[in-house]
Amino acid sequence: MSSNGNTARVRVALDAMGGDYGPDVTVPGALAAVAAHPQLHVTLVGDQEAVDAELSRHGADIQALPIAIAPSEGKIEDDEHPISALRRKPRSSIVTAMNLLRAGEADMVVSVGSTGASMATATITLGLLEGLERPCIGGNFLGLAPNTTVVDLGSNVDARPSLLLSFAALGVVFARRRLQIENPRVALLSVGEEAAKGNRQVQESHSLFRDSHLNFVGNVEGMDFFTDKADVIVCDGFIGNILIKFAEGLGSALAPYLQHQLAEFLPEAQLRQIAGALWTSMNLPRTMGGPLFGVDGLVMVGHGSSTAEGIAGAINTGLLCHSIDLVEGFREELSELRHTGVLEA
């Protein structure tokens, strides 16, 4: 693997085989990212022949670019059990990329491959931050609610109240550092605002959240993503993943619907612009990616159907998270929770 040697650069290990399209989108995405960010160095982790072929197709000479290749063997597919696949494929692209981060040869990993594989590999290779039992996925996933952080977005379909509280703490760090909200308001997603509303998980979590040091404002409902009642909304990954997929589907359905309804009133170019903006606002994970919360290293995950634009967007989001030292912020917030006795030391 070649090296640039410029320590000022932010080094990205990109899972070049990940996602639905692999090098067809990861390579041009990497090329777009390094063109936009002079401080960036990208290591394309993947099958040497496939990556070389895509670089050649774009006329890219990596000797003249801040790009390197780290050869790997195969990828972990979405339908494979992550832990079993890690044992069978120890040189797969996501494992190789994560090993680069652990060895200090990268500052972050970016992957749009299997989220389960990314989580499992990061947990085993990098470890979890002290005070956590599991990692989670969070962030601002709706362009129509750009300052609302949601956690968990799909990594833990079942979560005890103590897990939800630790996820909330991570969401607070993200909202404070990434969105510049000084004292983020935290809420539980439920079917009613009253403390007695919701299933057993939510009801038991309510008292735990109330007694924590977090700025807990109670329960919120689905419509409150847009009412500015809370900055960090907490739910388990089962609900969170349904939310994100519903938003994606709604955006994809509304865009052509609006084009049809407004066709006789607006020029075609303006219609395309409106439809595109709506689609993007409802599909942020496909265009931006997001950090994996709770692992001891910066790992960005993105939508499997991401285009080259989405790859570049995930790298850009990673640069923002790196610049605000997000992982260290997570560490500090979890330490405070342990200090107050909310989490076990």
Side-chain angles (χ1 to χ4, degrees):
M1 180 180 68
S2 63
S3 172
N4 182 274
N6 186 342
T7 57
R9 280 185 168 157
V10 180
R11 302 161 300 166
V12 177
L14 175 61
D15 176 8
M17 309 308 291
D20 297 344
Y21 311 111
D24 289 354
V25 299
T26 55
V27 170
L31 293 172
V34 297
H37 303 285
Q39 80 276 32
L40 190 63
H41 182 279
V42 176
T43 297
L44 296 165
V45 184
D47 178 81
Q48 180 89 44
E49 185 177 347
V51 173
D52 277 338
E54 190 61 26
L55 285 167
S56 296
R57 192 170 74 84
H58 289 273
D61 177 10
I62 64 171
Q63 300 303 318
L65 293 169
I67 288 180
I69 301 174
S72 62
E73 298 175 5
K75 62 178 284 191
I76 297 178
E77 304 288 351
D78 287 332
D79 59 355
E80 293 184 271
H81 188 279
I83 300 299
S84 299
L86 290 179
R87 297 193 187 100
R88 293 194 310 272
K89 300 177 177 180
R91 285 185 48 78
S92 62
S93 55
I94 186 60
V95 176
T96 303
M98 215 68 73
N99 283 334
L100 291 176
L101 181 56
R102 181 182 63 179
E105 296 180 45
D107 299 304
M108 75 179 83
V109 168
V110 176
S111 178
V112 296
S114 164
T115 301
S118 293
M119 288 182 56
T121 310
T123 300
I124 292 171
T125 305
L126 307 174
L128 295 175
L129 296 173
E130 188 177 356
L132 286 184
E133 294 179 48
R134 301 181 198 171
C136 61
I137 300 173
N140 49 328
F141 79 98
L142 276 170
L144 298 178
N147 293 319
T148 301
T149 298
V150 183
V151 61
D152 179 13
L153 285 173
S155 54
N156 299 276
V157 295
D158 292 301
R160 300 187 309 280
S162 59
L163 281 174
L164 291 182
L165 181 63
S166 64
F167 297 164
L170 298 174
V172 164
V173 174
F174 183 84
R176 184 182 294 136
R177 294 207 173 196
R178 173 70 180 87
L179 303 176
Q180 300 295 303
I181 301 172
E182 184 176 353
N183 188 23
R185 298 161 296 168
V186 177
L188 283 162
L189 184 61
S190 188
V191 294
E193 294 183 359
E194 298 82 1
K197 289 289 182 71
N199 57 18
R200 181 178 177 182
Q201 175 200 58
V202 172
Q203 291 180 27
E204 292 180 355
S205 298
H206 193 281
S207 59
L208 188 61
F209 275 55
R210 184 191 58 217
D211 296 336
S212 75
H213 79 289
L214 300 177
N215 183 15
F216 181 54
V217 296
N219 293 346
V220 295
E221 300 176 80
M223 76 282 284
D224 292 319
F225 283 92
F226 313 100
T227 60
D228 193 35
K229 288 186 178 180
D231 305 302
V232 178
I233 297 178
V234 183
C235 59
D236 64 34
F238 183 81
I239 299 298
N241 197 254
I242 290 174
L243 282 172
I244 199 171
K245 298 293 176 56
F246 178 80
E248 290 173 356
L250 184 61
S252 297
L254 278 179
Y257 174 79
L258 282 180
Q259 279 187 289
H260 176 72
Q261 293 296 317
L262 299 175
E264 62 181 292
F265 305 108
L266 297 173
E268 185 177 349
Q270 189 174 358
L271 284 172
R272 284 199 302 269
Q273 184 179 17
I274 293 172
L278 176 62
W279 186 92
T280 299
S281 71
M282 302 293 280
N283 286 268
L284 287 185
R286 296 193 191 191
T287 56
M288 292 178 57
L292 186 57
F293 289 4
V295 296
D296 196 6
L298 184 54
V299 178
M300 307 300 298
V301 293
H303 203 291
S305 64
S306 293
T307 61
E309 180 186 12
I311 301 298
I315 293 173
N316 182 61
T317 304
L319 286 173
L320 290 172
C321 292
H322 181 270
S323 71
I324 61 176
D325 207 355
L326 184 64
V327 175
E328 185 57 32
F330 288 156
R331 200 187 316 275
E332 292 171 1
E333 189 72 24
L334 291 169
S335 176
E336 177 66 19
L337 276 179
R338 292 195 306 276
H339 179 72
T340 57
V342 177
L343 293 180
E344 293 183 6

PDB file of all heavy atoms in Angstrom, residues 154-177:
ATOM      1  N   GLY A 154     -31.410   1.886  13.703  1.00  0.00           N
ATOM      2  CA  GLY A 154     -31.528   0.563  13.100  1.00  0.00           C
ATOM      3  C   GLY A 154     -30.586  -0.505  13.582  1.00  0.00           C
ATOM      4  O   GLY A 154     -30.671  -1.646  13.137  1.00  0.00           O
ATOM      5  N   SER A 155     -29.697  -0.190  14.506  1.00  0.00           N
ATOM      6  CA  SER A 155     -28.691  -1.184  14.879  1.00  0.00           C
ATOM      7  C   SER A 155     -29.138  -2.130  15.974  1.00  0.00           C
ATOM      8  O   SER A 155     -28.623  -3.248  16.072  1.00  0.00           O
ATOM      9  CB  SER A 155     -27.396  -0.481  15.303  1.00  0.00           C
ATOM     10  OG  SER A 155     -27.658   0.456  16.321  1.00  0.00           O
ATOM     11  N   ASN A 156     -30.079  -1.713  16.824  1.00  0.00           N
ATOM     12  CA  ASN A 156     -30.527  -2.553  17.947  1.00  0.00           C
ATOM     13  C   ASN A 156     -32.051  -2.633  17.942  1.00  0.00           C
ATOM     14  O   ASN A 156     -32.723  -1.710  18.382  1.00  0.00           O
ATOM     15  CB  ASN A 156     -30.043  -1.961  19.274  1.00  0.00           C
ATOM     16  CG  ASN A 156     -28.540  -1.891  19.368  1.00  0.00           C
ATOM     17  OD1 ASN A 156     -27.882  -2.855  19.727  1.00  0.00           O
ATOM     18  ND2 ASN A 156     -27.972  -0.729  19.031  1.00  0.00           N
ATOM     19  N   VAL A 157     -32.578  -3.739  17.454  1.00  0.00           N
ATOM     20  CA  VAL A 157     -34.035  -3.844  17.348  1.00  0.00           C
ATOM     21  C   VAL A 157     -34.690  -4.063  18.698  1.00  0.00           C
ATOM     22  O   VAL A 157     -35.897  -3.849  18.852  1.00  0.00           O
ATOM     23  CB  VAL A 157     -34.448  -4.965  16.363  1.00  0.00           C
ATOM     24  CG1 VAL A 157     -34.008  -4.623  14.954  1.00  0.00           C
ATOM     25  CG2 VAL A 157     -33.886  -6.315  16.783  1.00  0.00           C
ATOM     26  N   ASP A 158     -33.928  -4.492  19.683  1.00  0.00           N
ATOM     27  CA  ASP A 158     -34.405  -4.592  21.062  1.00  0.00           C
ATOM     28  C   ASP A 158     -33.405  -3.868  21.945  1.00  0.00           C
ATOM     29  O   ASP A 158     -32.195  -4.055  21.801  1.00  0.00           O
ATOM     30  CB  ASP A 158     -34.509  -6.054  21.516  1.00  0.00           C
ATOM     31  CG  ASP A 158     -35.602  -6.809  20.773  1.00  0.00           C
ATOM     32  OD1 ASP A 158     -36.763  -6.376  20.864  1.00  0.00           O
ATOM     33  OD2 ASP A 158     -35.286  -7.822  20.131  1.00  0.00           O
ATOM     34  N   ALA A 159     -33.898  -3.058  22.859  1.00  0.00           N
ATOM     35  CA  ALA A 159     -32.985  -2.311  23.726  1.00  0.00           C
ATOM     36  C   ALA A 159     -33.627  -2.086  25.097  1.00  0.00           C
ATOM     37  O   ALA A 159     -34.752  -1.611  25.196  1.00  0.00           O
ATOM     38  CB  ALA A 159     -32.618  -0.970  23.088  1.00  0.00           C
ATOM     39  N   ARG A 160     -32.864  -2.437  26.141  1.00  0.00           N
ATOM     40  CA  ARG A 160     -33.319  -2.171  27.501  1.00  0.00           C
ATOM     41  C   ARG A 160     -33.245  -0.671  27.783  1.00  0.00           C
ATOM     42  O   ARG A 160     -32.516   0.063  27.104  1.00  0.00           O
ATOM     43  CB  ARG A 160     -32.449  -2.924  28.510  1.00  0.00           C
ATOM     44  CG  ARG A 160     -32.460  -4.425  28.355  1.00  0.00           C
ATOM     45  CD  ARG A 160     -31.707  -5.098  29.505  1.00  0.00           C
ATOM     46  NE  ARG A 160     -30.387  -4.532  29.704  1.00  0.00           N
ATOM     47  CZ  ARG A 160     -29.329  -4.852  28.971  1.00  0.00           C
ATOM     48  NH1 ARG A 160     -29.446  -5.719  27.972  1.00  0.00           N
ATOM     49  NH2 ARG A 160     -28.150  -4.307  29.212  1.00  0.00           N
ATOM     50  N   PRO A 161     -33.954  -0.194  28.819  1.00  0.00           N
ATOM     51  CA  PRO A 161     -33.914   1.233  29.156  1.00  0.00           C
ATOM     52  C   PRO A 161     -32.500   1.770  29.370  1.00  0.00           C
ATOM     53  O   PRO A 161     -32.187   2.880  28.941  1.00  0.00           O
ATOM     54  CB  PRO A 161     -34.739   1.304  30.443  1.00  0.00           C
ATOM     55  CG  PRO A 161     -35.738   0.200  30.284  1.00  0.00           C
ATOM     56  CD  PRO A 161     -34.991  -0.904  29.607  1.00  0.00           C
ATOM     57  N   SER A 162     -31.622   0.994  30.006  1.00  0.00           N
ATOM     58  CA  SER A 162     -30.260   1.468  30.237  1.00  0.00           C
ATOM     59  C   SER A 162     -29.508   1.665  28.930  1.00  0.00           C
ATOM     60  O   SER A 162     -28.687   2.587  28.801  1.00  0.00           O
ATOM     61  CB  SER A 162     -29.494   0.482  31.128  1.00  0.00           C
ATOM     62  OG  SER A 162     -29.447  -0.808  30.533  1.00  0.00           O
ATOM     63  N   LEU A 163     -29.781   0.812  27.941  1.00  0.00           N
ATOM     64  CA  LEU A 163     -29.167   0.989  26.631  1.00  0.00           C
ATOM     65  C   LEU A 163     -29.685   2.251  25.967  1.00  0.00           C
ATOM     66  O   LEU A 163     -28.918   3.029  25.381  1.00  0.00           O
ATOM     67  CB  LEU A 163     -29.435  -0.218  25.740  1.00  0.00           C
ATOM     68  CG  LEU A 163     -28.580  -1.463  25.959  1.00  0.00           C
ATOM     69  CD1 LEU A 163     -29.074  -2.611  25.082  1.00  0.00           C
ATOM     70  CD2 LEU A 163     -27.122  -1.176  25.649  1.00  0.00           C
ATOM     71  N   LEU A 164     -30.994   2.473  26.042  1.00  0.00           N
ATOM     72  CA  LEU A 164     -31.569   3.670  25.443  1.00  0.00           C
ATOM     73  C   LEU A 164     -30.963   4.930  26.070  1.00  0.00           C
ATOM     74  O   LEU A 164     -30.727   5.930  25.379  1.00  0.00           O
ATOM     75  CB  LEU A 164     -33.081   3.681  25.609  1.00  0.00           C
ATOM     76  CG  LEU A 164     -33.875   2.635  24.817  1.00  0.00           C
ATOM     77  CD1 LEU A 164     -35.370   2.813  25.058  1.00  0.00           C
ATOM     78  CD2 LEU A 164     -33.574   2.730  23.321  1.00  0.00           C
ATOM     79  N   LEU A 165     -30.686   4.881  27.375  1.00  0.00           N
ATOM     80  CA  LEU A 165     -30.099   6.041  28.037  1.00  0.00           C
ATOM     81  C   LEU A 165     -28.685   6.305  27.520  1.00  0.00           C
ATOM     82  O   LEU A 165     -28.315   7.463  27.270  1.00  0.00           O
ATOM     83  CB  LEU A 165     -30.072   5.831  29.548  1.00  0.00           C
ATOM     84  CG  LEU A 165     -29.508   7.001  30.357  1.00  0.00           C
ATOM     85  CD1 LEU A 165     -30.377   8.240  30.191  1.00  0.00           C
ATOM     86  CD2 LEU A 165     -29.381   6.626  31.834  1.00  0.00           C
ATOM     87  N   SER A 166     -27.906   5.256  27.352  1.00  0.00           N
ATOM     88  CA  SER A 166     -26.550   5.459  26.826  1.00  0.00           C
ATOM     89  C   SER A 166     -26.604   5.968  25.393  1.00  0.00           C
ATOM     90  O   SER A 166     -25.798   6.814  24.984  1.00  0.00           O
ATOM     91  CB  SER A 166     -25.739   4.162  26.917  1.00  0.00           C
ATOM     92  OG  SER A 166     -26.275   3.138  26.096  1.00  0.00           O
ATOM     93  N   PHE A 167     -27.575   5.483  24.606  1.00  0.00           N
ATOM     94  CA  PHE A 167     -27.734   5.983  23.239  1.00  0.00           C
ATOM     95  C   PHE A 167     -28.117   7.463  23.258  1.00  0.00           C
ATOM     96  O   PHE A 167     -27.658   8.249  22.419  1.00  0.00           O
ATOM     97  CB  PHE A 167     -28.796   5.182  22.498  1.00  0.00           C
ATOM     98  CG  PHE A 167     -28.472   3.722  22.315  1.00  0.00           C
ATOM     99  CD1 PHE A 167     -29.468   2.827  21.955  1.00  0.00           C
ATOM    100  CD2 PHE A 167     -27.185   3.238  22.509  1.00  0.00           C
ATOM    101  CE1 PHE A 167     -29.189   1.484  21.778  1.00  0.00           C
ATOM    102  CE2 PHE A 167     -26.891   1.895  22.336  1.00  0.00           C
ATOM    103  CZ  PHE A 167     -27.894   1.018  21.983  1.00  0.00           C
ATOM    104  N   ALA A 168     -28.969   7.836  24.209  1.00  0.00           N
ATOM    105  CA  ALA A 168     -29.369   9.243  24.333  1.00  0.00           C
ATOM    106  C   ALA A 168     -28.159  10.126  24.604  1.00  0.00           C
ATOM    107  O   ALA A 168     -28.031  11.225  24.036  1.00  0.00           O
ATOM    108  CB  ALA A 168     -30.394   9.403  25.446  1.00  0.00           C
ATOM    109  N   ALA A 169     -27.257   9.656  25.468  1.00  0.00           N
ATOM    110  CA  ALA A 169     -26.058  10.430  25.778  1.00  0.00           C
ATOM    111  C   ALA A 169     -25.216  10.652  24.528  1.00  0.00           C
ATOM    112  O   ALA A 169     -24.680  11.743  24.302  1.00  0.00           O
ATOM    113  CB  ALA A 169     -25.236   9.712  26.847  1.00  0.00           C
ATOM    114  N   LEU A 170     -25.111   9.622  23.700  1.00  0.00           N
ATOM    115  CA  LEU A 170     -24.360   9.759  22.456  1.00  0.00           C
ATOM    116  C   LEU A 170     -25.048  10.739  21.512  1.00  0.00           C
ATOM    117  O   LEU A 170     -24.392  11.544  20.838  1.00  0.00           O
ATOM    118  CB  LEU A 170     -24.221   8.389  21.786  1.00  0.00           C
ATOM    119  CG  LEU A 170     -23.454   7.328  22.590  1.00  0.00           C
ATOM    120  CD1 LEU A 170     -23.513   5.978  21.879  1.00  0.00           C
ATOM    121  CD2 LEU A 170     -22.013   7.743  22.810  1.00  0.00           C
ATOM    122  N   GLY A 171     -26.379  10.686  21.468  1.00  0.00           N
ATOM    123  CA  GLY A 171     -27.124  11.631  20.642  1.00  0.00           C
ATOM    124  C   GLY A 171     -26.929  13.067  21.094  1.00  0.00           C
ATOM    125  O   GLY A 171     -26.847  13.993  20.270  1.00  0.00           O
ATOM    126  N   VAL A 172     -26.823  13.273  22.403  1.00  0.00           N
ATOM    127  CA  VAL A 172     -26.591  14.606  22.949  1.00  0.00           C
ATOM    128  C   VAL A 172     -25.244  15.149  22.483  1.00  0.00           C
ATOM    129  O   VAL A 172     -25.121  16.321  22.097  1.00  0.00           O
ATOM    130  CB  VAL A 172     -26.663  14.572  24.492  1.00  0.00           C
ATOM    131  CG1 VAL A 172     -26.053  15.839  25.100  1.00  0.00           C
ATOM    132  CG2 VAL A 172     -28.107  14.418  24.944  1.00  0.00           C
ATOM    133  N   VAL A 173     -24.220  14.298  22.508  1.00  0.00           N
ATOM    134  CA  VAL A 173     -22.897  14.728  22.050  1.00  0.00           C
ATOM    135  C   VAL A 173     -22.944  15.143  20.582  1.00  0.00           C
ATOM    136  O   VAL A 173     -22.388  16.173  20.185  1.00  0.00           O
ATOM    137  CB  VAL A 173     -21.858  13.609  22.251  1.00  0.00           C
ATOM    138  CG1 VAL A 173     -20.513  14.000  21.640  1.00  0.00           C
ATOM    139  CG2 VAL A 173     -21.704  13.282  23.723  1.00  0.00           C
ATOM    140  N   PHE A 174     -23.624  14.327  19.763  1.00  0.00           N
ATOM    141  CA  PHE A 174     -23.732  14.641  18.343  1.00  0.00           C
ATOM    142  C   PHE A 174     -24.443  15.979  18.148  1.00  0.00           C
ATOM    143  O   PHE A 174     -23.994  16.833  17.368  1.00  0.00           O
ATOM    144  CB  PHE A 174     -24.500  13.535  17.618  1.00  0.00           C
ATOM    145  CG  PHE A 174     -24.615  13.734  16.139  1.00  0.00           C
ATOM    146  CD1 PHE A 174     -23.598  13.350  15.280  1.00  0.00           C
ATOM    147  CD2 PHE A 174     -25.753  14.309  15.588  1.00  0.00           C
ATOM    148  CE1 PHE A 174     -23.696  13.536  13.906  1.00  0.00           C
ATOM    149  CE2 PHE A 174     -25.875  14.507  14.220  1.00  0.00           C
ATOM    150  CZ  PHE A 174     -24.844  14.119  13.377  1.00  0.00           C
ATOM    151  N   ALA A 175     -25.557  16.175  18.855  1.00  0.00           N
ATOM    152  CA  ALA A 175     -26.317  17.424  18.707  1.00  0.00           C
ATOM    153  C   ALA A 175     -25.509  18.618  19.194  1.00  0.00           C
ATOM    154  O   ALA A 175     -25.552  19.705  18.598  1.00  0.00           O
ATOM    155  CB  ALA A 175     -27.632  17.326  19.475  1.00  0.00           C
ATOM    156  N   ARG A 176     -24.753  18.433  20.257  1.00  0.00           N
ATOM    157  CA  ARG A 176     -23.975  19.542  20.818  1.00  0.00           C
ATOM    158  C   ARG A 176     -22.799  19.902  19.915  1.00  0.00           C
ATOM    159  O   ARG A 176     -22.561  21.067  19.622  1.00  0.00           O
ATOM    160  CB  ARG A 176     -23.486  19.170  22.215  1.00  0.00           C
ATOM    161  CG  ARG A 176     -22.754  20.295  22.940  1.00  0.00           C
ATOM    162  CD  ARG A 176     -22.261  19.845  24.301  1.00  0.00           C
ATOM    163  NE  ARG A 176     -23.382  19.567  25.186  1.00  0.00           N
ATOM    164  CZ  ARG A 176     -23.471  18.500  25.978  1.00  0.00           C
ATOM    165  NH1 ARG A 176     -22.522  17.594  25.970  1.00  0.00           N
ATOM    166  NH2 ARG A 176     -24.515  18.343  26.760  1.00  0.00           N
ATOM    167  N   ARG A 177     -22.070  18.891  19.469  1.00  0.00           N
ATOM    168  CA  ARG A 177     -20.845  19.151  18.706  1.00  0.00           C
ATOM    169  C   ARG A 177     -21.119  19.369  17.217  1.00  0.00           C
ATOM    170  O   ARG A 177     -20.507  20.222  16.588  1.00  0.00           O
ATOM    171  CB  ARG A 177     -19.861  18.003  18.905  1.00  0.00           C
ATOM    172  CG  ARG A 177     -19.349  17.895  20.331  1.00  0.00           C
ATOM    173  CD  ARG A 177     -17.982  17.271  20.393  1.00  0.00           C
ATOM    174  NE  ARG A 177     -17.438  17.327  21.733  1.00  0.00           N
ATOM    175  CZ  ARG A 177     -16.161  17.139  22.026  1.00  0.00           C
ATOM    176  NH1 ARG A 177     -15.294  16.883  21.049  1.00  0.00           N
ATOM    177  NH2 ARG A 177     -15.736  17.206  23.267  1.00  0.00           N
TER     178      ARG A 177
END
